[in-house]
Amino acid sequence: MKLFDVYPLFDVNIISGKGCHVWDDKGIEYLDLYGGHAVISIGHSHPHYVKMITEQVSKLGFYSNSVINTLQKDVASRLGEISGYNDYSLFLINSGAEANENALKLASFHNGRSRVISFNKSFHGRTSLAVEVTNNPKIVAPINDHGQVTFLALNDIETVRKELYKKDVCAVIIEGIQGVGGIKIPDDSFLKQLREVCTETGTVLILDEIQSGYGRSGKFFAHQYAGIRPDIITVAKGIGNGFPMSGILISPIFKPVYGMLGTTFGGNHLACSAAIAVLDVMKEEHLVDNAAKVGNYLLNELKKIEGIKDVRGRGLMIGLEFDYSIKDLRKSLLYDQHVFTGVSGTNVLRLLPPLCLSMDEADDFISRLKNVL
Ligand SMILES: Cc1ncc(COP(=O)(O)O)c(C=O)c1O
């Protein structure tokens, strides 16, 4: 059997990793400014993470959600403490799209409505509801297209207000920082007003922090720059440092009912041990502060480089916009300079390194980038 060919691949076979570096099968070392698509939060193969998962799988890898799982409670209490959301509840699933599915479903159970407001250039995943609220017609199949979603311009509060005052909107879903859309940051004032209008109209505010959360922006959640509290926050990617896992943080306004949400694999023992290890390391090694410090440094240094049209981002979520397609630039970075980077659209280079990136590694990246500009 061959693989279903949906990914355009780089000709590199990565077989090991350590911190912010990975190695291919020929022994070539690469600097990882991509984090396997924002997934590697605490660094590749962190010893505490390896130990926790290894010990857990040798005891018990999985049991179902029909029995007490104290590891889930442990994830919830640590996550509540580090994020400042102690009073919220946690529901665990397996992927980002699934987190958004459950967030939207919960919102609809709560207020009985079904229209959703999402934003131009948004990305929320590829499953049924998640892809429907994603602003990319190319990946929305006819079976997903129910016409329930209105896409509006980011930062245009008056248009949002007009729609929400029709009082038929179930939820607004918005990324803490748009990733796939090109590292676009919603204005703090826009988020504050959005929070107010959602409350006034009984609309659920869902913050998709799947890419921008878990410390990446230099705060635990990107929306915390605006000082708001959403009704539901979705997390994935960095939560398990590569172990497939996701969650939704749920405000106390939602009342749980047995059976309203459910999953076979979500919150399993092995996933929880990965998530606990991640939170341990984030706290112990002050990785949110590190993302803020090294991210600010990178942003400032990158802004000094001529030939880059725009440099934007927060913490270690950075976009470099060029006047031209960066396809060849990205290839040169990978094959000549041995640096992994990401992309948004055609012209934006996206940096999403592990949150443990050091100042020396940031300097190393800048000099490798200058070599190809
Ligand atoms: C903001 C955002 N939401 C949702 C998703 C979907 O996550 P997953 O691929 O784990 O389903 C992504 C993935 O890139 C994302 O960046």
Side-chain angles (χ1 to χ4, degrees):
M1 190 189 288
K2 62 185 175 58
L3 300 174
F4 198 53
D5 192 12
V6 288
Y7 298 113
L9 300 178
F10 286 117
D11 188 19
V12 180
N13 178 14
I14 293 300
I15 56 165
S16 67
K18 190 91 202 138
C20 294
H21 292 87
V22 290
W23 284 262
D24 70 13
D25 54 358
K26 298 178 187 72
I28 297 174
E29 181 178 346
Y30 298 80
L31 182 61
D32 187 8
L33 264 285
Y34 180 50
H37 206 70
V39 167
I40 302 301
S41 46
I42 60 170
H44 295 277
S45 304
H46 193 288
H48 181 62
Y49 177 82
V50 173
K51 183 169 178 278
M52 291 270 295
I53 295 180
T54 309
E55 284 178 4
Q56 184 60 46
V57 77
S58 65
K59 273 195 300 194
L60 181 75
F62 176 85
Y63 207 75
S64 92
N65 277 315
S66 63
V67 295
I68 291 168
N69 179 347
T70 54
L71 294 169
Q72 286 187 6
K73 293 186 179 178
D74 207 354
V75 175
S77 69
R78 284 169 203 242
L79 180 54
E81 187 198 316
I82 196 169
S83 67
Y85 280 97
N86 258 324
D87 54 332
Y88 279 44
S89 308
L90 180 67
F91 179 69
L92 292 168
I93 44 274
N94 311 288
S95 69
E98 219 186 322
N100 286 334
E101 292 285 328
N102 280 281
L104 289 161
K105 197 168 158 185
L106 187 58
S108 182
F109 271 135
H110 179 72
N111 58 21
R113 304 174 184 170
S114 55
R115 257 190 89 203
V116 178
I117 298 295
S118 181
F119 293 94
N120 295 345
K121 299 219 163 183
S122 59
F123 183 86
H124 297 290
R126 289 169 180 272
T127 58
S128 108
L129 271 172
V131 82
E132 206 184 340
V133 298
T134 289
N135 187 215
N136 179 357
K138 280 195 207 139
I139 64 168
V140 180
I143 201 167
N144 305 122
D145 192 4
H146 300 107
Q148 304 186 109
V149 185
T150 309
F151 294 98
L152 301 177
L154 192 67
N155 293 328
D156 180 355
I157 193 64
E158 287 318 316
T159 319
V160 177
R161 194 189 306 277
K162 224 161 105 191
E163 289 299 328
L164 295 199
Y165 263 93
K166 292 178 183 166
K167 302 237 177 128
D168 62 350
V169 176
C170 163
V172 174
I173 184 162
I174 181 168
E175 288 158 83
I177 298 173
Q178 286 191 338
V180 174
I183 312 293
K184 299 269 169 59
I185 309 176
D187 294 341
D188 293 348
S189 63
F190 174 73
L191 284 182
K192 280 197 182 99
Q193 293 178 81
L194 181 61
R195 171 66 282 180
E196 281 167 20
V197 192
C198 281
T199 307
E200 287 160 17
T201 56
T203 313
V204 173
L205 177 58
I206 302 172
L207 247 297
D208 178 340
E209 292 275 7
I210 285 162
Q211 190 167 145
S212 55
Y214 252 77
R216 177 152 301 283
S217 72
K219 288 195 186 287
F220 196 84
F221 289 125
H223 68 259
Q224 289 171 324
Y225 282 95
I228 61 154
R229 284 166 78 81
D231 301 311
I232 305 178
I233 304 161
T234 58
V235 292
K237 295 199 187 287
I239 183 175
N241 199 49
F243 199 99
M245 191 187 200
S246 66
I248 63 176
L249 283 68
I250 304 164
S251 131
I253 63 166
F254 297 91
K255 296 287 159 259
V257 175
Y258 286 156
M260 80 193 295
L261 304 178
T263 163
T264 297
F265 293 120
N268 69 74
H269 294 69
L270 203 46
C272 285
S273 71
I276 292 167
V278 166
L279 291 168
D280 280 349
V281 174
M282 286 190 76
K283 192 171 164 187
E284 188 72 19
E285 298 183 7
H286 308 287
L287 292 186
V288 185
D289 293 342
N290 189 66
K293 185 182 85 180
V294 182
N296 276 339
Y297 175 72
L298 256 180
L299 277 164
N300 287 332
E301 293 304 305
L302 289 167
K303 280 178 185 165
K304 293 179 194 161
I305 301 176
E306 272 180 41
I308 307 178
K309 190 176 161 198
D310 191 25
V311 176
R312 53 181 180 262
R314 272 176 169 159
L316 289 172
M317 183 163 180
I318 298 175
L320 314 183
E321 186 171 337
F322 291 84
D323 276 328
Y324 47 88
S325 162
I326 54 153
K327 205 170 168 199
D328 291 339
L329 175 76
R330 206 165 156 237
K331 272 193 191 159
S332 308
L333 276 170
L334 182 62
Y335 295 124
D336 305 334
Q337 301 298 316
H338 300 148
V339 183
F340 270 99
T341 54
V343 64
S344 300
T346 50
N347 292 17
V348 178
L349 194 71
R350 199 161 25 139
L351 307 181
L352 305 160
L355 307 183
C356 56
L357 191 79
S358 69
M359 292 295 232
D360 285 350
E361 286 162 338
D363 281 334
D364 188 12
F365 167 67
I366 288 165
S367 66
R368 295 194 207 195
L369 176 66
K370 282 181 178 164
N371 290 340
V372 294
L373 285 177

